[in-house]
């Protein structure tokens, strides 16, 4: 596989024109987000279109809208969708999520959001837009999401562990409450690096889980294999 693309079992992602390449975070969210019985999905900041395509593979009935602010990335996402088996169910829109209006509500909103909220900006402007919160921070993500969610709708995100409190506090301020949380560890004994979170309008006991990716280098845990085996070629 060349550096310009990444082949999965049922689709291929070309990412040579996107600032953020295919990575573990996106695959984890696409494999984990609660897609069962969902009819309409919104993917905020779709990048390559990876998560939208994973969700389309997992649910053969879901219709997915994927939003991307970067014009070059949006065009590549459109091409990835066009060459996938699910082009008839995924729409890619190039626009700012904060300006997106839609009367029909979504059952699921997913986002692998910009995460270097307080870090120094990188010199690559496109990569900066993809990786830095900038205009789309957690408050604006949740603030706009609540107007687009159905009554039983959910928001699922993946974030670095160090910003979890910021994200959860932002969700609470917009009356979205955690219902499912998974801490992600690269290896046993290593600190938690990523957290998968699902929020909804209902207050209830949050399901808590842990996921370890590797036992040793390239020796994946049974739990990680079970979660991602429908996508990765070598699983």
């Amino acid at each position: 596989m060349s550096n310009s693309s990444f082949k999965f079992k049922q689709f291929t992602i070309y990412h040579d024109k996107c600032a953020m390449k295919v990575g573990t975070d996106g695959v984890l969210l696409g494999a984990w987000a609660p897609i069962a019985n969902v009819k309409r999905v919104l993917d905020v900041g779709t990048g390559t279109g990876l998560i939208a395509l994973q969700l389309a593979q997992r649910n053969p009935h879901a219709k997915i809208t994927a939003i991307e602010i970067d014009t070059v990335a949006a065009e590549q996402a459109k091409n990835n969708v066009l060459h996938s088996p699910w082009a008839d169910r995924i729409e890619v829109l190039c626009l700012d999520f904060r300006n997106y209006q839609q009367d029909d509500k979504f059952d699921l909103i997913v986002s692998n959001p910009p995460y270097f909220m307080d870090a120094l900006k990188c010199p690559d402007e496109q990569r900066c837009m993809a990786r830095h919160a900038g205009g789309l921070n957690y408050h604006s993500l949740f603030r706009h999401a609540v107007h687009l969610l159905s009554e039983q709708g959910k928001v699922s995100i993946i974030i670095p562990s160090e910003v979890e409190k910021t994200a959860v506090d932002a969700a609470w301020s917009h009356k979205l409450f955690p219902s499912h949380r998974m801490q992600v560890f690269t290896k046993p004994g290593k600190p938690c690096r990523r957290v998968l979170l699902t929020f909804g309008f209902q207050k209830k006991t949050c399901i808590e889980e842990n996921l370890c990716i590797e036992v040793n280098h390239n020796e994946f845990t049974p739990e990680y294999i079970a979660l991602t085996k429908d996508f990765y070629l070598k699983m």
Side-chain angles (χ1 to χ4, degrees):
M1 184 57 58
S2 70
N3 291 332
S4 65
S5 64
F6 195 103
K7 187 171 179 58
F8 292 92
K9 284 182 177 175
Q10 295 191 37
F11 59 91
T12 297
I13 293 289
Y14 288 88
H15 54 192
D16 53 299
K17 297 176 183 176
C18 293
M20 299 307 296
K21 311 304 182 188
V22 169
T24 303
D25 286 9
V27 175
L28 281 171
L29 181 58
W32 181 82
I35 192 67
N37 302 316
V38 164
K39 294 180 179 178
R40 298 195 73 237
V41 181
L42 179 64
D43 179 13
V44 179
T46 194
T48 62
L50 168 63
I51 295 170
L53 287 163
Q54 286 183 268
L55 297 177
Q57 177 181 323
R58 290 176 58 204
N59 183 331
H61 307 294
K63 292 190 181 257
I64 300 164
T65 300
I67 291 176
E68 174 55 50
I69 193 171
D70 181 74
T71 54
V72 177
E75 193 60 34
Q76 186 144 63
K78 287 179 183 178
N79 287 329
N80 286 332
V81 167
L82 183 64
H83 291 94
S84 79
W86 313 290
D88 60 327
R89 293 194 286 117
I90 304 174
E91 178 185 26
V92 179
L93 302 176
C94 183
L95 51 80
D96 188 329
F97 173 62
R98 294 169 297 175
N99 299 327
Y100 180 61
Q101 302 294 331
Q102 177 59 252
D103 292 331
D104 294 330
K105 303 298 184 182
F106 292 94
D107 305 304
L108 174 67
I109 296 176
V110 293
S111 186
N112 179 10
Y115 50 86
F116 290 124
M117 298 184 69
D118 300 312
L120 293 173
K121 297 274 179 124
C122 52
D124 183 326
E125 185 177 351
Q126 187 192 23
R127 191 170 174 82
C128 254
M129 184 183 296
R131 298 185 74 168
H132 287 270
L136 181 62
N137 56 36
Y138 298 121
H139 273 285
S140 60
L141 173 64
F142 291 121
R143 182 189 304 117
H144 203 45
V146 297
H147 299 295
L148 296 167
L149 272 182
S150 64
E151 187 177 338
Q152 299 296 321
K154 300 181 186 303
V155 179
S156 287
I157 62 174
I158 183 166
I159 54 174
S161 56
E162 61 265 26
V163 299
E164 181 181 7
K165 185 179 186 305
T166 300
V168 171
D169 286 350
W172 271 78
S173 71
H174 297 289
K175 302 205 166 33
L176 286 167
F177 309 104
S179 60
H180 195 175
R181 174 177 180 260
M182 179 181 277
Q183 293 189 99
V184 181
F185 301 83
T186 53
K187 291 180 181 178
K190 296 287 186 180
C192 173
R193 298 294 302 275
R194 294 286 186 269
V195 181
L196 288 151
L197 289 162
T198 293
F199 301 89
F201 291 119
Q202 292 76 35
K203 279 186 180 180
K204 55 185 177 182
T205 302
C206 183
I207 299 169
E208 299 277 353
E209 293 183 290
N210 292 333
L211 175 72
C212 189
I213 294 177
E214 292 182 325
V215 178
N216 297 300
H217 182 62
N218 284 336
E219 183 184 345
F220 300 108
T221 65
E223 294 78 15
Y224 182 69
I225 292 171
L227 183 62
T228 61
K229 64 183 173 59
D230 289 341
F231 303 103
Y232 283 130
L233 286 173
K234 295 182 180 180
M235 293 296 190

